[in-house]
Amino acid sequence: MYDQPRPHQATPAMTFGQMLERVRYEGAYPTPERAAEAVHHVLAALGRQLTGDERVDLAQALPAEAALTLTAQIPDTRQLTGWGFVKDMAARTGVSPAVARWDTGAVLAVVTRLAGPDLLARILRQLPDGYALLFGQAQLRRPEPAAA
C-alpha cells in the first residue's frame, strides 16, 4: 500500500531549507550538511516505526524532501520502544547511542512543531512507550487496570 496524499491538506509550514536551519539550531550542528544528515537518519528511522493515517498526515506536514525520507521506508514488523529506536538508529548509522539520541532530539523538536499538538498526540498513541520524551513531551503513564 502506498501512502497517498489527502485532498485539501495545507502545505508544510516551512521549506526543507528552513527545516534544516531549525534542526541546525536545535542540535548546534556546525554545518547544514550535518543537520541534513541528522534529519535523514531520524526520519528514516521514524518511517520504519510509523504506519497508517499518522504516517500519511505527518508526511503532509513535512517539507517534500523530508516527507520522501519518511515514506521511503518500509515499516518494520516489530515496534521498538523509544530507547530501542535510538539504539537501532545508532547501530544502522554507526554512531554512538548518545549521538543518535542527540540527533533524535534535535530533529523531533522541529517535527513536533510541524506536526502540531493533535497529530503529535495521535502519533504518540500509536508508538510504544518512550517516544514522548524523544519528541520533547512529558512521558505520561497509561492507566493500568486495577487488579481484581
Side-chain angles (χ1 to χ4, degrees), residues 13-136:
M14 63 178 68
T15 67
F16 188 63
Q18 291 169 327
M19 181 181 188
L20 291 181
E21 280 305 309
R22 296 292 308 175
V23 169
R24 184 177 176 194
Y25 176 80
E26 291 287 338
Y29 297 118
T31 65
E33 292 77 21
R34 177 62 185 95
E37 181 180 294
V39 166
H40 289 296
H41 288 164
V42 172
L43 290 180
L46 187 60
R48 289 188 291 274
Q49 295 298 307
L50 201 56
T51 60
D53 289 343
E54 290 75 19
R55 178 183 172 104
V56 173
D57 292 346
L58 180 58
Q60 289 181 331
L62 297 172
E65 296 88 340
L68 288 173
T69 299
L70 178 83
T71 58
Q73 304 304 309
I74 297 171
D76 201 336
T77 56
R78 62 186 170 98
Q79 278 202 313
L80 302 171
T81 63
W83 178 236
F85 175 88
V86 170
K87 290 190 311 186
D88 182 65
M89 193 176 86
R92 288 176 185 260
T93 60
V95 300
S96 72
V99 171
R101 175 61 182 95
W102 184 269
D103 290 350
T104 300
V107 173
L108 294 184
V110 177
V111 169
T112 295
R113 288 187 205 109
L114 289 169
D118 294 336
L119 177 55
L120 181 61
R122 289 178 30 223
I123 289 169
L124 292 176
R125 277 193 300 273
Q126 183 188 106
L127 295 170
D129 285 341
Y131 281 87
L133 294 173
L134 298 178
F135 280 93

